[in-house]
Amino acid sequence: MLPAAHLQRFVRQLNRQSCRNTWVLKRVFQPEVTPPGEIQKNPNDFHDYQKYEVVEYETLKPAGPIKVILLQDVEGIGHQFDVVSVDRSLARKDLLLSKKAVYASPFDLKYYADMKTRMAEELASRVRIPYELKVVGRDLQKMVVPIKVNMENQWTIDRKLVKSSLRQLGVFLAENTIFLADKPISGPNFDIEAKLFRFYVVVNQQYIVPMLGRITHISADESNQIISPTSTAPRDEELARYNIRKEFPLYSKTNDFTESFPVFEHMREHAPTTPQ
């Protein structure tokens, strides 16, 4: 055990380490720009280039965010060549170390701005899904929605029923963003109890998210209740049993996926089988 005095000293030292002395300097004499094709002069060989003057000095200034230039798309942070402010720890332990970014120095700001201009056509052609849509799509795809239907009365699965089933899971959607197959599913039919079926949800008319529903017969009479499988993510063999293929969300740069858009036909031909 450390003595109390040593422990207090250690805590004070840790507190001091969480802050920094900040000096902002500038050169008194700026080095001349090296002409193209010539070897850059070593600043250490010129005494005047080692002279600096203080622009700013703040004692015990907390270290805030740091600006970096992204060299590639980084999910949740930005796209290639974006200048972003990030936590210093994230910058040093991940972005800079893995060469996903560089410091936003004056030289690199100009260098990568010029590169961004040269690559403008290529960058514009890339499919870049907004991070917010990706997060929504992932959360929705984790769900297997229990579609509760009555075992005594006639029913047909429609948008309204799917909407209310999603609401019970805390997902609130407009009916016109839900797309079902043309062939209706009706009952009561205990042969399709626990059957999986595919439906789609469209987010912002740009993002088609494949989802799964599971039919669950219920009754007001508890003695007639059926114990259905839990709504866990199905394995590939269970999907194959119901002729459902594994699909991932599809993104469009424009708002193409309106209420009248043939979502099922489009996904049948263009649904990604790997994450975009």
Side-chain angles (χ1 to χ4, degrees), residues 102-122:
V102 294
Y103 286 110
S105 67
F107 174 83
D108 281 335
L109 283 169
K110 184 179 185 311
Y111 178 80
Y112 288 106
D114 293 341
M115 185 180 294
K116 183 177 181 179
T117 301
R118 293 195 300 271
M119 294 177 60
E121 188 174 340
E122 178 190 338

Side-chain angles (χ1 to χ4, degrees), residues 31-89:
E32 297 178 359
V33 177
T34 303
E38 294 189 13
I39 299 175
Q40 182 177 352
K41 298 177 181 178
N42 187 349
N44 295 326
D45 295 339
F46 299 88
H47 182 67
D48 284 344
Y49 293 163
Q50 308 307 312
K51 296 178 181 179
Y52 298 86
E53 62 181 357
V54 177
V55 176
E56 181 184 356
Y57 170 61
E58 295 185 25
T59 305
L60 299 180
K61 180 179 180 180
I66 189 170
K67 283 189 175 183
V68 297
I69 307 167
L70 298 179
L71 301 185
Q72 63 187 66
D73 293 353
V74 181
E75 189 173 296
I77 297 178
H79 294 141
Q80 186 178 14
F81 302 131
D82 284 353
V83 180
V84 295
S85 294
V86 296
D87 180 78
R88 288 173 179 267
S89 179

Side-chain angles (χ1 to χ4, degrees), residues 9 161 168 185 209:
R9 230 177 1 253
L161 178 56
Q168 293 179 34
I185 302 175
V209 181

Side-chain angles (χ1 to χ4, degrees), residues 72-217:
Q72 63 187 66
D73 293 353
V74 181
E75 189 173 296
I77 297 178
H79 294 141
Q80 186 178 14
F81 302 131
D82 284 353
V83 180
V84 295
S85 294
V86 296
D87 180 78
R88 288 173 179 267
S89 179
L90 172 65
R92 289 172 178 156
K93 293 181 180 179
D94 182 12
L95 301 178
L96 298 171
L97 191 63
S98 60
K99 297 185 179 179
K100 297 175 184 175
V102 294
Y103 286 110
S105 67
F107 174 83
D108 281 335
L109 283 169
K110 184 179 185 311
Y111 178 80
Y112 288 106
D114 293 341
M115 185 180 294
K116 183 177 181 179
T117 301
R118 293 195 300 271
M119 294 177 60
E121 188 174 340
E122 178 190 338
L123 295 173
S125 66
R126 291 183 187 176
V127 176
R128 284 172 161 171
I129 304 173
Y131 178 64
E132 296 78 10
L133 290 183
K134 280 190 173 184
V135 171
V136 169
R138 286 172 189 160
D139 289 344
L140 292 177
Q141 282 211 291
K142 291 176 184 177
M143 299 178 178
V144 178
V145 183
I147 308 296
K148 298 178 181 179
V149 292
N150 196 292
M151 64 173 58
E152 287 98 11
N153 302 323
Q154 290 291 322
W155 50 262
T156 297
I157 294 177
D158 57 11
R159 286 178 166 182
K160 187 174 182 179
L161 178 56
V162 174
K163 174 186 174 182
S164 63
S165 300
L166 283 165
R167 241 176 133 174
Q168 293 179 34
L169 298 178
V171 179
F172 297 84
L173 297 172
E175 285 184 27
N176 61 1
T177 64
I178 299 169
F179 292 80
L180 301 170
D182 292 335
K183 185 177 180 181
I185 302 175
S186 301
N189 182 355
F190 299 111
D191 291 336
I192 60 173
E193 170 62 23
K195 170 187 172 69
L196 290 171
F197 67 93
R198 172 74 76 200
F199 68 95
Y200 297 99
V201 166
V202 173
V203 183
N204 290 354
Q205 297 184 344
Q206 287 185 283
Y207 204 47
I208 302 176
V209 181
M211 295 192 66
L212 292 170
R214 191 187 291 275
I215 298 171
T216 303
H217 286 82

